[in-house]
Amino acid sequence: MDHGRLMDDQMMLGSQVYPYTTQPQNSHCIIVNQIDGGEESKPVKRRRKRRSKGSSATNEEDVAEIGGMLRKRKLTDEQVNMLEYSFGNEHKLESGRKEKIAGELGLDPRQVAVWFQNRRARWKNKKLEEEYAKLKNHHDNVVLGQCQLESQILKLTEQLSEAQSEIRKLSERLEEMPTNSSSSSLSVEANNAPTDFELAPETNYNIPFYMLDNNYLQSMEYWDGLYV
DNA sequence: TTGTGTTTTACGACCTCC
DNA sequence: GGAGGTCGTAAAACACAA
């Protein structure tokens, strides 16, 4: 729900103002932030003082005093719409443009400047949120891809282990055979079979067996697509 | 009822640019 | 040095959950 909009609408039904205290309160005290540690650090001054009655926004339409309280008008829908339109055209505000907008909307130029400052801040926040969402999405995809690859590694490791076991068995059976049958083609192939599985036969450009697996090739396509 | 979060307007402090 | 920027926050009204 858009609370601000709702508040605006409600304000429009009654008076267009809301309370605004005149006196500095406790929260307007000096706040000094210091970096932890004994070293002498530069204090960050945070002096708070609300604008007192009679300073810049003294336009009677903008500020009125009721029961010791200053009342500050909330901008009307029309004013906000105009400001939004202007902001859409250009986020920065030169002096001449500020005066022009203020004149057209019946606002104090200071109000226009403040509105633009706050609008820029909101815009920046929104951009940051969008950027964060994009990065998070990318990160999630990378993590997903990593999981898929890890699961493939597990599967292929199992296959490799089974194949090695099979080769061992075949070798053992061959060794048990009488030596005069050593001229058979089977024994030659078995004796030349790789037992460690680091590399495929030379005919495949020294590409490891697992790289010839279809799943592996698909996963590589996935990564290529991810980084385009 | 009360505490907490959101939105809007406004301001102080500090920074940058001309 | 002044104008205008960012950043952090106050204050008020309101919604909503506990």
Side-chain angles (χ1 to χ4, degrees), chain A residues 72 104 122 126 137 150 193 209 219:
Chain A
K72 182 174 57 178
E104 285 173 357
R122 287 197 292 273
K126 196 177 165 219
N137 189 38
E150 280 170 2
F209 277 151
S219 74

Side-chain angles (χ1 to χ4, degrees), chain A residues 10-11 41 67 79 88 103 106 115 124 145 153-155 160 172 174 177 191 203 212 221:
Chain A
Q10 288 169 340
M11 286 296 183
S41 57
Q79 285 170 328
W115 189 91
K124 189 181 173 184
I153 287 171
L154 275 178
K155 213 158 54 180
L160 177 62
E172 282 165 13
L174 281 172
M177 285 182 178
N191 286 332
T203 51
L212 299 175
E221 283 170 13

